[in-house]
PDB file of all heavy atoms in Angstrom:
ATOM      1  N   GLY S 378      18.153  25.168  10.234  1.00 98.00           N
ATOM      2  CA  GLY S 378      18.023  24.960  11.665  1.00 98.00           C
ATOM      3  C   GLY S 378      18.669  26.160  12.379  1.00 98.00           C
ATOM      4  O   GLY S 378      19.447  26.889  11.826  1.00 98.00           O
ATOM      5  N   CYS S 379      18.284  26.261  13.702  1.00 98.00           N
ATOM      6  CA  CYS S 379      18.789  27.333  14.467  1.00 98.00           C
ATOM      7  C   CYS S 379      20.287  27.305  14.550  1.00 98.00           C
ATOM      8  O   CYS S 379      21.025  26.331  14.705  1.00 98.00           O
ATOM      9  CB  CYS S 379      18.245  27.111  15.915  1.00 98.00           C
ATOM     10  SG  CYS S 379      18.788  28.281  17.056  1.00 98.00           S
ATOM     11  N   GLY S 380      20.958  28.455  14.384  1.00 98.00           N
ATOM     12  CA  GLY S 380      22.445  28.548  14.552  1.00 98.00           C
ATOM     13  C   GLY S 380      23.252  28.164  13.343  1.00 98.00           C
ATOM     14  O   GLY S 380      24.416  27.989  13.479  1.00 98.00           O
ATOM     15  N   THR S 381      22.637  28.131  12.191  1.00 98.00           N
ATOM     16  CA  THR S 381      23.429  27.828  10.985  1.00 98.00           C
ATOM     17  C   THR S 381      24.320  28.971  10.578  1.00 98.00           C
ATOM     18  O   THR S 381      23.919  30.188  10.667  1.00 98.00           O
ATOM     19  CB  THR S 381      22.435  27.539   9.786  1.00 98.00           C
ATOM     20  OG1 THR S 381      21.704  26.372  10.145  1.00 98.00           O
ATOM     21  CG2 THR S 381      23.271  27.283   8.501  1.00 98.00           C
ATOM     22  N   VAL S 382      25.598  28.721  10.129  1.00 98.00           N
ATOM     23  CA  VAL S 382      26.432  29.774   9.735  1.00 98.00           C
ATOM     24  C   VAL S 382      27.038  29.389   8.278  1.00 98.00           C
ATOM     25  O   VAL S 382      27.548  28.290   8.193  1.00 98.00           O
ATOM     26  CB  VAL S 382      27.629  30.021  10.724  1.00 98.00           C
ATOM     27  CG1 VAL S 382      28.616  31.024  10.175  1.00 98.00           C
ATOM     28  CG2 VAL S 382      27.047  30.365  12.070  1.00 98.00           C
ATOM     29  N   THR S 383      26.858  30.317   7.391  1.00 98.00           N
ATOM     30  CA  THR S 383      27.671  30.163   6.169  1.00 98.00           C
ATOM     31  C   THR S 383      29.016  30.795   6.465  1.00 98.00           C
ATOM     32  O   THR S 383      29.064  31.977   6.701  1.00 98.00           O
ATOM     33  CB  THR S 383      26.996  30.866   4.963  1.00 98.00           C
ATOM     34  OG1 THR S 383      26.688  32.147   5.365  1.00 98.00           O
ATOM     35  CG2 THR S 383      25.669  30.155   4.623  1.00 98.00           C
ATOM     36  N   VAL S 384      30.042  30.044   6.364  1.00 97.00           N
ATOM     37  CA  VAL S 384      31.362  30.511   6.733  1.00 97.00           C
ATOM     38  C   VAL S 384      32.048  30.973   5.355  1.00 97.00           C
ATOM     39  O   VAL S 384      32.597  30.232   4.589  1.00 97.00           O
ATOM     40  CB  VAL S 384      32.222  29.355   7.366  1.00 97.00           C
ATOM     41  CG1 VAL S 384      33.563  29.921   7.804  1.00 97.00           C
ATOM     42  CG2 VAL S 384      31.458  28.808   8.527  1.00 97.00           C
ATOM     43  N   ASN S 385      31.721  32.312   5.199  1.00 95.00           N
ATOM     44  CA  ASN S 385      31.995  32.798   3.740  1.00 95.00           C
ATOM     45  C   ASN S 385      33.381  33.462   3.633  1.00 95.00           C
ATOM     46  O   ASN S 385      33.712  33.914   2.528  1.00 95.00           O
ATOM     47  CB  ASN S 385      30.865  33.731   3.317  1.00 95.00           C
ATOM     48  CG  ASN S 385      30.760  34.907   4.222  1.00 95.00           C
ATOM     49  OD1 ASN S 385      31.004  34.780   5.387  1.00 95.00           O
ATOM     50  ND2 ASN S 385      30.281  36.029   3.740  1.00 95.00           N
ATOM     51  N   TYR S 386      34.079  33.680   4.723  1.00 92.00           N
ATOM     52  CA  TYR S 386      35.242  34.478   4.721  1.00 92.00           C
ATOM     53  C   TYR S 386      36.404  33.791   5.348  1.00 92.00           C
ATOM     54  O   TYR S 386      36.257  33.296   6.482  1.00 92.00           O
ATOM     55  CB  TYR S 386      34.931  35.818   5.471  1.00 92.00           C
ATOM     56  CG  TYR S 386      35.995  36.859   5.443  1.00 92.00           C
ATOM     57  CD1 TYR S 386      36.655  37.155   4.179  1.00 92.00           C
ATOM     58  CD2 TYR S 386      36.397  37.525   6.575  1.00 92.00           C
ATOM     59  CE1 TYR S 386      37.595  38.152   4.205  1.00 92.00           C
ATOM     60  CE2 TYR S 386      37.383  38.466   6.567  1.00 92.00           C
ATOM     61  CZ  TYR S 386      37.999  38.780   5.355  1.00 92.00           C
ATOM     62  OH  TYR S 386      39.007  39.830   5.289  1.00 92.00           O
ATOM     63  N   ASP S 387      37.493  33.567   4.625  1.00 88.00           N
ATOM     64  CA  ASP S 387      38.676  32.855   5.145  1.00 88.00           C
ATOM     65  C   ASP S 387      39.743  33.837   5.629  1.00 88.00           C
ATOM     66  O   ASP S 387      40.920  33.436   5.814  1.00 88.00           O
ATOM     67  CB  ASP S 387      39.195  31.888   4.189  1.00 88.00           C
ATOM     68  CG  ASP S 387      39.627  32.608   2.829  1.00 88.00           C
ATOM     69  OD1 ASP S 387      39.762  33.846   2.883  1.00 88.00           O
ATOM     70  OD2 ASP S 387      39.923  31.895   1.873  1.00 88.00           O
ATOM     71  N   GLY S 388      39.332  35.092   5.761  1.00 91.00           N
ATOM     72  CA  GLY S 388      40.311  36.089   6.190  1.00 91.00           C
ATOM     73  C   GLY S 388      41.032  36.791   5.027  1.00 91.00           C
ATOM     74  O   GLY S 388      41.628  37.891   5.259  1.00 91.00           O
ATOM     75  N   VAL S 389      40.880  36.254   3.901  1.00 92.00           N
ATOM     76  CA  VAL S 389      41.455  36.852   2.707  1.00 92.00           C
ATOM     77  C   VAL S 389      40.313  37.195   1.670  1.00 92.00           C
ATOM     78  O   VAL S 389      40.213  38.305   1.192  1.00 92.00           O
ATOM     79  CB  VAL S 389      42.465  35.929   2.003  1.00 92.00           C
ATOM     80  CG1 VAL S 389      43.081  36.590   0.810  1.00 92.00           C
ATOM     81  CG2 VAL S 389      43.522  35.581   2.937  1.00 92.00           C
ATOM     82  N   SER S 390      39.524  36.149   1.314  1.00 93.00           N
ATOM     83  CA  SER S 390      38.545  36.449   0.326  1.00 93.00           C
ATOM     84  C   SER S 390      37.206  35.796   0.692  1.00 93.00           C
ATOM     85  O   SER S 390      37.118  34.911   1.644  1.00 93.00           O
ATOM     86  CB  SER S 390      38.951  35.929  -1.040  1.00 93.00           C
ATOM     87  OG  SER S 390      39.193  34.486  -0.917  1.00 93.00           O
ATOM     88  N   LYS S 391      36.140  36.292   0.006  1.00 94.00           N
ATOM     89  CA  LYS S 391      34.771  35.775   0.325  1.00 94.00           C
ATOM     90  C   LYS S 391      34.484  34.716  -0.729  1.00 94.00           C
ATOM     91  O   LYS S 391      34.777  34.893  -1.875  1.00 94.00           O
ATOM     92  CB  LYS S 391      33.819  36.977   0.291  1.00 94.00           C
ATOM     93  CG  LYS S 391      34.205  38.063   1.178  1.00 94.00           C
ATOM     94  CD  LYS S 391      33.134  38.309   2.299  1.00 94.00           C
ATOM     95  CE  LYS S 391      33.737  39.085   3.460  1.00 94.00           C
ATOM     96  NZ  LYS S 391      33.635  40.558   3.234  1.00 94.00           N
ATOM     97  N   GLN S 392      33.822  33.655  -0.346  1.00 96.00           N
ATOM     98  CA  GLN S 392      33.352  32.601  -1.282  1.00 96.00           C
ATOM     99  C   GLN S 392      31.893  32.360  -1.104  1.00 96.00           C
ATOM    100  O   GLN S 392      31.299  32.730  -0.137  1.00 96.00           O
ATOM    101  CB  GLN S 392      34.134  31.290  -0.914  1.00 96.00           C
ATOM    102  CG  GLN S 392      35.587  31.449  -0.836  1.00 96.00           C
ATOM    103  CD  GLN S 392      36.259  31.687  -2.264  1.00 96.00           C
ATOM    104  OE1 GLN S 392      35.629  31.449  -3.236  1.00 96.00           O
ATOM    105  NE2 GLN S 392      37.488  32.132  -2.247  1.00 96.00           N
ATOM    106  N   ARG S 393      31.322  31.695  -2.077  1.00 97.00           N
ATOM    107  CA  ARG S 393      29.813  31.481  -2.002  1.00 97.00           C
ATOM    108  C   ARG S 393      29.422  30.074  -1.603  1.00 97.00           C
ATOM    109  O   ARG S 393      30.222  29.098  -1.799  1.00 97.00           O
ATOM    110  CB  ARG S 393      29.158  31.753  -3.403  1.00 97.00           C
ATOM    111  CG  ARG S 393      29.244  33.274  -3.780  1.00 97.00           C
ATOM    112  CD  ARG S 393      28.336  33.560  -4.939  1.00 97.00           C
ATOM    113  NE  ARG S 393      26.979  33.804  -4.687  1.00 97.00           N
ATOM    114  CZ  ARG S 393      26.513  34.877  -4.143  1.00 97.00           C
ATOM    115  NH1 ARG S 393      27.234  35.951  -3.798  1.00 97.00           N
ATOM    116  NH2 ARG S 393      25.218  34.973  -3.820  1.00 97.00           N
ATOM    117  N   CYS S 394      28.260  30.022  -1.006  1.00 98.00           N
ATOM    118  CA  CYS S 394      27.643  28.708  -0.695  1.00 98.00           C
ATOM    119  C   CYS S 394      26.435  28.572  -1.616  1.00 98.00           C
ATOM    120  O   CYS S 394      25.756  29.443  -1.916  1.00 98.00           O
ATOM    121  CB  CYS S 394      27.112  28.591   0.772  1.00 98.00           C
ATOM    122  SG  CYS S 394      28.390  28.624   2.006  1.00 98.00           S
ATOM    123  N   GLU S 395      26.252  27.287  -2.074  1.00 98.00           N
ATOM    124  CA  GLU S 395      25.078  27.022  -2.900  1.00 98.00           C
ATOM    125  C   GLU S 395      24.269  25.992  -2.260  1.00 98.00           C
ATOM    126  O   GLU S 395      24.844  24.890  -1.825  1.00 98.00           O
ATOM    127  CB  GLU S 395      25.589  26.536  -4.297  1.00 98.00           C
ATOM    128  CG  GLU S 395      24.654  26.952  -5.484  1.00 98.00           C
ATOM    129  CD  GLU S 395      25.254  26.422  -6.752  1.00 98.00           C
ATOM    130  OE1 GLU S 395      26.423  26.775  -7.080  1.00 98.00           O
ATOM    131  OE2 GLU S 395      24.567  25.659  -7.380  1.00 98.00           O
ATOM    132  N   ILE S 396      22.962  26.239  -2.016  1.00 98.00           N
ATOM    133  CA  ILE S 396      22.161  25.343  -1.177  1.00 98.00           C
ATOM    134  C   ILE S 396      20.961  25.028  -2.118  1.00 98.00           C
ATOM    135  O   ILE S 396      20.208  25.914  -2.440  1.00 98.00           O
ATOM    136  CB  ILE S 396      21.720  25.908   0.089  1.00 98.00           C
ATOM    137  CG1 ILE S 396      23.045  26.225   0.927  1.00 98.00           C
ATOM    138  CG2 ILE S 396      20.843  24.977   0.837  1.00 98.00           C
ATOM    139  CD1 ILE S 396      22.842  27.080   2.201  1.00 98.00           C
ATOM    140  N   GLY S 397      20.755  23.733  -2.519  1.00 98.00           N
ATOM    141  CA  GLY S 397      19.732  23.335  -3.484  1.00 98.00           C
ATOM    142  C   GLY S 397      18.350  23.409  -2.856  1.00 98.00           C
ATOM    143  O   GLY S 397      18.143  23.534  -1.605  1.00 98.00           O
ATOM    144  N   ASP S 398      17.383  23.204  -3.651  1.00 98.00           N
ATOM    145  CA  ASP S 398      15.956  23.236  -3.258  1.00 98.00           C
ATOM    146  C   ASP S 398      15.675  22.133  -2.181  1.00 98.00           C
ATOM    147  O   ASP S 398      16.352  21.076  -2.156  1.00 98.00           O
ATOM    148  CB  ASP S 398      14.940  22.904  -4.446  1.00 98.00           C
ATOM    149  CG  ASP S 398      15.040  23.999  -5.430  1.00 98.00           C
ATOM    150  OD1 ASP S 398      15.487  25.105  -5.115  1.00 98.00           O
ATOM    151  OD2 ASP S 398      14.550  23.776  -6.617  1.00 98.00           O
ATOM    152  N   SER S 399      14.813  22.379  -1.230  1.00 98.00           N
ATOM    153  CA  SER S 399      14.348  21.423  -0.229  1.00 98.00           C
ATOM    154  C   SER S 399      15.468  20.876   0.626  1.00 98.00           C
ATOM    155  O   SER S 399      15.295  19.814   1.177  1.00 98.00           O
ATOM    156  CB  SER S 399      13.602  20.331  -0.900  1.00 98.00           C
ATOM    157  OG  SER S 399      12.535  20.852  -1.754  1.00 98.00           O
ATOM    158  N   CYS S 400      16.521  21.543   0.823  1.00 98.00           N
ATOM    159  CA  CYS S 400      17.557  21.064   1.778  1.00 98.00           C
ATOM    160  C   CYS S 400      16.997  21.288   3.204  1.00 98.00           C
ATOM    161  O   CYS S 400      16.174  22.113   3.454  1.00 98.00           O
ATOM    162  CB  CYS S 400      18.897  21.897   1.587  1.00 98.00           C
ATOM    163  SG  CYS S 400      19.778  21.288   0.196  1.00 98.00           S
ATOM    164  N   PHE S 401      17.497  20.443   4.069  1.00 98.00           N
ATOM    165  CA  PHE S 401      17.228  20.577   5.492  1.00 98.00           C
ATOM    166  C   PHE S 401      18.555  20.758   6.254  1.00 98.00           C
ATOM    167  O   PHE S 401      19.309  19.775   6.330  1.00 98.00           O
ATOM    168  CB  PHE S 401      16.447  19.345   5.981  1.00 98.00           C
ATOM    169  CG  PHE S 401      15.950  19.504   7.366  1.00 98.00           C
ATOM    170  CD1 PHE S 401      14.664  20.007   7.721  1.00 98.00           C
ATOM    171  CD2 PHE S 401      16.788  19.160   8.415  1.00 98.00           C
ATOM    172  CE1 PHE S 401      14.221  20.131   8.987  1.00 98.00           C
ATOM    173  CE2 PHE S 401      16.286  19.284   9.778  1.00 98.00           C
ATOM    174  CZ  PHE S 401      15.029  19.754  10.021  1.00 98.00           C
TER     175      PHE S 401
END
Side-chain angles (χ1 to χ4, degrees):
C379 177
T381 300
V382 176
T383 54
V384 184
N385 59 330
Y386 186 48
D387 58 13
V389 180
S390 60
K391 305 247 163 84
Q392 307 288 343
R393 292 193 81 80
C394 291
E395 212 178 302
I396 299 168
D398 294 347
S399 306
C400 282
F401 186 94

